[in-house]
């Protein structure tokens, strides 16, 4: 029985490696963005157009106002349809998006017909340079890992 133990452990390790597809969970993505976010701010300038956005589960998202400027928005609770939205709308007043006053609204096919706004609880500016550098390091590490795996 002892000679089979190393083989069984090797097989279990191989199967557990196949069980993950290398994708981060929403919680891991959110933690990554939180690590690259500054202290909360009360608002940010917004001229009605986003450069992009990234859902981070149903309670947070990153929005990009310019390629070099982004914010982590954490919502007051779960936001229905955020993970399935093709686009979002962000409310604003006077070209400013404010925490605790403005909302994110998921839009597009795959979302419910009743558009439920999701209140922004906190706004934290992202350190975009550090975020991009960390993403690049993670991609390179994953590539090296794939190259070393037979």
């Amino acid at each position: 029985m002892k000679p089979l133990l190393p083989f069984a452990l090797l097989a279990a390790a191989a199967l557990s490696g196949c069980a993950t597809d290398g994708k981060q969970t929403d919680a891991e993505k959110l933690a990554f963005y939180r690590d690259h976010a500054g202290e909360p701010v009360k608002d940010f300038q917004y001229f009605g157009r986003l450069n992009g956005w990234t859902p981070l589960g149903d309670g947070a998202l990153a929005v990009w106002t310019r390629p070099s400027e982004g914010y982590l928005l954490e919502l007051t609770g779960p936001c229905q349809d955020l993970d399935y939205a093709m686009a979002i709308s962000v409310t604003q007043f006077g070209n400013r998006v404010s925490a605790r006053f403005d909302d994110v609204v998921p839009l597009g096919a795959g979302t419910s017909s009743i558009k439920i706004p999701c209140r922004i609880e906190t706004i934290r500016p992202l350190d975009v340079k550090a975020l991009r550098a960390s993403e690049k390091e993670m991609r390179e590490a994953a590539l090296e890992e794939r190259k070393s795996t037979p």
Side-chain angles (χ1 to χ4, degrees):
M1 185 82 169
K2 278 192 177 186
L4 293 178
L5 186 58
F7 178 73
L9 291 174
L10 183 62
L15 289 174
S16 67
C18 294
T20 61
D21 60 3
K23 289 191 173 206
Q24 291 180 310
T25 66
D26 287 339
E28 291 168 334
K29 285 188 232 175
L30 179 55
F32 179 74
Y33 275 79
R34 281 179 176 156
D35 287 344
H36 293 87
E39 292 298 314
V41 295
K42 67 178 190 164
D43 60 16
F44 66 90
Q45 195 165 20
Y46 176 66
F47 294 109
R49 186 161 186 217
L50 292 175
N51 192 273
W53 64 286
T54 304
L56 303 168
D58 63 0
L61 68 154
V63 295
W64 308 96
T65 53
R66 295 187 299 212
S68 61
E69 183 177 85
Y71 297 90
L72 173 63
L73 307 182
E74 296 202 46
L75 309 172
T76 57
C79 186
Q80 179 180 348
D81 299 329
L82 186 59
D83 283 334
Y84 307 105
M86 297 175 73
I88 59 168
S89 171
V90 180
T91 63
Q92 52 86 24
F93 180 75
N95 295 329
R96 309 286 308 168
V97 174
S98 301
R100 299 191 186 145
F101 293 103
D102 284 306
D103 302 312
V104 172
V105 181
L107 303 171
T111 62
S112 61
S113 59
I114 299 172
K115 304 300 180 210
I116 301 171
C118 307
R119 182 62 37 107
I120 300 168
E121 178 69 25
T122 59
I123 299 170
R124 296 173 59 195
L126 292 169
D127 183 345
V128 177
K129 284 185 180 182
L131 182 76
R132 298 292 184 225
S134 292
E135 288 174 333
K136 183 179 178 185
E137 287 175 12
M138 289 171 52
R139 282 191 306 272
E140 289 172 354
L143 182 62
E144 287 299 318
E145 187 177 319
R146 280 187 291 219
K147 285 181 180 178
S148 66
T149 305

